[in-house]
Amino acid sequence: MTLFEFLMALASVVIAIALTEIFAGWGRLLRTHIAPKIDWLHLGWTLVIVLYAIQYWVGIWPYREVEFTLIYQVWFLIFPTLFIVLVSYAITPDINPETSLDLRDHYMSRRAPVFIGLAVFLATAQLADVIILGTSLNWISFAIVAIGMLPAFTPRVSIHTAVMVFNLYIVLANGFGLTPTSNGLIN
């Protein structure tokens, strides 16, 4: 087993934990006896987080040619996966079948850890490319992180919606290879 294969296995397990938390949350919502008040904003953001997690996992592939010689390189490859797990836990509600659940209230009450965590995920994913692959940061990288933090500091639904649409555009455009430097991977 090469070091890349070992790292890919570790990243796969950590990202699987994040995806499992979100999918299990969706499943618990479907199973609950008390109908939760479903919220399109919460559902949309969970979808964006799922897409980012999958895209980051696939985006690890360009690192296969890298000779990892220092432990900090490994840290920068794995750190983003840890933050996407924390974001997944923060956005997924605990469901008590005895009480009513309003997903908008839950979402708004958890917005700071969700969006600060998401910004750290995006920043560390970009830093991994800079530190390990030697790519350069550009203004788009900074803009994505800065814009991603806006919902942490405001309850305005219009801001949350605009940032969600922006992130959905970024992840889908990258996923479909529509950005000038994309090949369908985060890199």
Side-chain angles (χ1 to χ4, degrees), residues 95-170:
I95 298 172
N96 181 348
E98 305 300 320
T99 60
S100 138
L101 175 64
D102 184 329
L103 287 174
R104 175 68 56 93
D105 289 344
H106 168 76
Y107 169 83
M108 287 298 176
S109 72
R110 304 302 301 149
R111 70 182 188 273
V114 168
F115 292 104
I116 292 170
L118 187 60
V120 173
F121 162 75
L122 294 169
T124 55
Q126 294 297 320
L127 281 174
D129 291 345
V130 171
I131 290 168
I132 300 169
L133 296 178
T135 62
S136 60
L137 282 178
N138 55 38
W139 68 270
I140 294 171
S141 300
F142 288 112
I144 291 170
V145 172
I147 290 169
M149 285 185 56
L150 291 175
F153 304 107
T154 180
R156 291 186 53 199
V157 173
S158 60
I159 300 291
H160 287 255
T161 303
V163 174
M164 181 177 65
V165 168
F166 174 75
N167 276 271
L168 199 52
Y169 169 77
I170 294 293

Side-chain angles (χ1 to χ4, degrees), residues 56-67:
Y56 183 78
W57 179 75
V58 173
I60 293 173
W61 186 248
Y63 294 99
R64 71 191 176 284
E65 303 297 327
V66 172
E67 183 179 333

Side-chain angles (χ1 to χ4, degrees), residues 14-15 56 74-85 120-126 128:
V14 175
I15 289 173
Y56 183 78
V74 173
W75 294 339
F76 276 95
L77 189 63
I78 299 302
F79 281 169
T81 64
L82 302 175
F83 283 100
I84 203 70
V85 167
V120 173
F121 162 75
L122 294 169
T124 55
Q126 294 297 320

